[in-house]
Amino acid sequence: MRRRLVKGYKKIKLHGFNNLTKTLSFNIYDICYTRSAEDRQKYIEYIDEQYNSERLTKILEDVTRMIGAHVLNVAKQDYDPQGASVTILISEEEVPDAAVDPSCNKGLLVNVPQHVVGHLDKSHLTVHTYPEYHPDNGISTFRVDIDVSTCGQISPLKALNYLIDSFDSDIITADYRVRGFTRAASGQKLFIDHNINSIQNYIAKRTLNKYQLIDVNVYQENIFHTKMLLKDFDLDNYLFAVSKEDLTPKEQREIISKLKKEMGEIFYGRNMSRI
C-alpha cells in the first residue's frame, strides 16, 4: 500500500505548540425490522436505554484516556421522546485545578443534569444519537454521530477501533481531516505530522475483514473518507421481537429486500430502487 510521508517528521523540532487540528467523525448505523408499531416503539425504547447519556459519557471518557488527554468539562442530555447527547472538553496536558475555569466540572457531575457536554482544552468530543424509523415499512434505523477533535500531539486515531467496537454497526461512515498548520523551529509550515493515506491504515484487520469498504480521499487537502458495510447478512440479526422461523418464506424475502434497500441507500448515499 502506498504511503504518503512527511519527510523526517519524527525528528522535526516544533516552534511552540502543535497547532494542527485533527478531527475524526463517525456516522454509525444499526438497522432493524419490526413487524408492528408496538414492536417498533419497544425497539426504540431498548436502543434509547442501551445508549443513554450515561453509557455514552463512559465511552467518551474511555476515549479521552486512550488518546492521552484529560477531561476539563462534561455535559450530557437524554431527550424526550428519544435520543441523547454528550460533549466533553479535554486538554492534552493536565490542567492544575487553580487554572481550570470555574464553569468546568472536570467530569465530576454533582446534581447531574439531564444533558451531557464534555470539553477539552483546545479539543473536544461529542456524541449524538438519533433513533429513526419508517412509518410504513417496519424499518428502524439507529444512528450515532461521534466527533473527536484534538490539537497537539494527541490523535483521535488512537481510539478508532475502540469506537467501532463500542457499537453494533451495520454501516459506518468515517471522516478524518487535518486542518491548519504548525511550524518547525526553522519557521517552515507543516500541514500534517503523521503518516496516513487512508483511514483503513488505522482499522484493525479483524474489522476490515468483516466489512466491505470504499474510500474517497483528497490527499492534497488531508481529507480522508471511508464507508463500511457489514458483509455477513443473517436475517435474525435484523429482527426485533421475532425470529425468521416465525415468518413465511415470502415474508422473509420481502423483509430482506427492505433491509438491503435501506442499507444500500445509506452506504451509497442515494435513493435506490428495491434490491
Side-chain angles (χ1 to χ4, degrees):
M1 179 178 289
R2 183 177 65 86
R3 301 183 68 84
R4 269 189 334 128
L5 305 179
V6 179
K7 186 177 179 181
Y9 77 98
K10 290 184 178 178
K11 299 180 180 179
I12 291 176
K13 181 176 176 58
L14 297 182
H15 171 73
F17 183 76
N18 186 335
N19 291 311
L20 288 170
T21 298
K22 303 156 190 172
T23 301
L24 178 66
S25 299
F26 277 96
N27 296 122
I28 295 173
Y29 298 87
D30 178 73
I31 315 299
C32 184
Y33 177 81
T34 52
R35 296 182 81 179
S36 66
E38 181 181 1
D39 286 344
R40 181 176 63 215
Q41 184 58 40
K42 289 180 180 178
Y43 168 76
I44 291 174
E45 291 172 358
Y46 165 77
I47 285 292
D48 218 32
E49 178 59 30
Q50 284 289 104
Y51 297 104
N52 58 32
S53 64
E54 183 176 352
R55 182 181 179 192
L56 296 174
T57 300
K58 173 66 166 55
I59 290 172
L60 293 192
E61 288 176 340
D62 288 345
V63 168
T64 301
R65 286 189 290 271
M66 286 179 181
I67 65 177
H70 302 271
V71 173
L72 289 181
N73 192 67
V74 176
K76 65 181 180 178
Q77 178 67 54
D78 289 295
Y79 299 109
D80 185 8
Q82 67 257 343
S85 296
V86 179
T87 305
I88 298 181
L89 181 67
I90 62 174
S91 61
E92 181 177 8
E93 302 294 337
E94 188 167 11
V95 179
D97 289 345
V100 176
D101 190 285
S103 66
C104 294
N105 57 35
K106 299 193 74 173
L108 301 176
L109 300 178
V110 181
N111 297 323
V112 179
Q114 291 301 305
H115 64 278
V116 177
V117 175
H119 295 170
L120 307 179
D121 177 20
K122 308 179 186 70
S123 307
H124 66 271
L125 292 75
T126 64
V127 58
H128 307 280
T129 67
Y130 303 89
E132 301 169 329
Y133 62 88
H134 191 292
D136 300 319
N137 71 0
I139 300 295
S140 295
T141 301
F142 172 62
R143 185 175 102 241
V144 181
D145 293 351
I146 300 173
D147 288 280
V148 182
S149 184
T150 68
C151 293
Q153 299 298 322
I154 58 178
S155 171
L157 292 170
K158 292 181 179 179
L160 176 60
N161 290 293
Y162 172 76
L163 286 169
I164 291 174
D165 293 341
S166 294
F167 300 89
D168 294 324
S169 308
D170 298 313
I171 302 165
I172 300 170
T173 62
D175 296 279
Y176 179 68
R177 182 170 186 179
V178 181
R179 294 184 175 89
F181 64 88
T182 192
R183 289 185 185 273
S186 64
Q188 179 186 18
K189 296 183 181 70
L190 303 174
F191 295 93
I192 194 166
D193 65 350
H194 57 294
N195 302 336
I196 183 171
N197 68 353
S198 169
I199 295 172
Q200 294 187 44
N201 298 153
Y202 293 85
I203 299 176
K205 185 175 180 180
R206 58 179 168 75
T207 301
L208 293 175
N209 291 337
K210 291 169 53 179
Y211 286 88
Q212 173 187 339
L213 299 100
I214 295 176
D215 272 6
V216 181
N217 301 318
V218 185
Y219 301 112
Q220 297 86 346
E221 299 298 329
N222 296 321
I223 298 173
F224 307 90
H225 176 73
T226 297
K227 298 192 289 188
M228 307 168 61
L229 175 65
L230 199 63
K231 290 179 182 177
D232 291 339
F233 185 93
D234 182 345
L235 181 56
D236 271 334
N237 293 334
Y238 296 89
L239 300 176
F240 184 80
V242 68
S243 67
K244 60 185 178 184
E245 283 74 20
D246 301 319
L247 305 170
T248 66
K250 180 181 178 181
E251 286 176 320
Q252 291 185 36
R253 289 192 298 270
E254 289 178 347
I255 293 170
I256 290 172
S257 179
K258 290 178 180 180
L259 288 166
K260 290 193 171 183
K261 180 175 184 291
E262 178 83 355
M263 295 168 70
E265 289 182 343
I266 294 171
F267 184 63
Y268 292 106
R270 63 178 183 272
N271 291 314
M272 305 170 65
S273 58
R274 181 69 61 85
I275 295 177

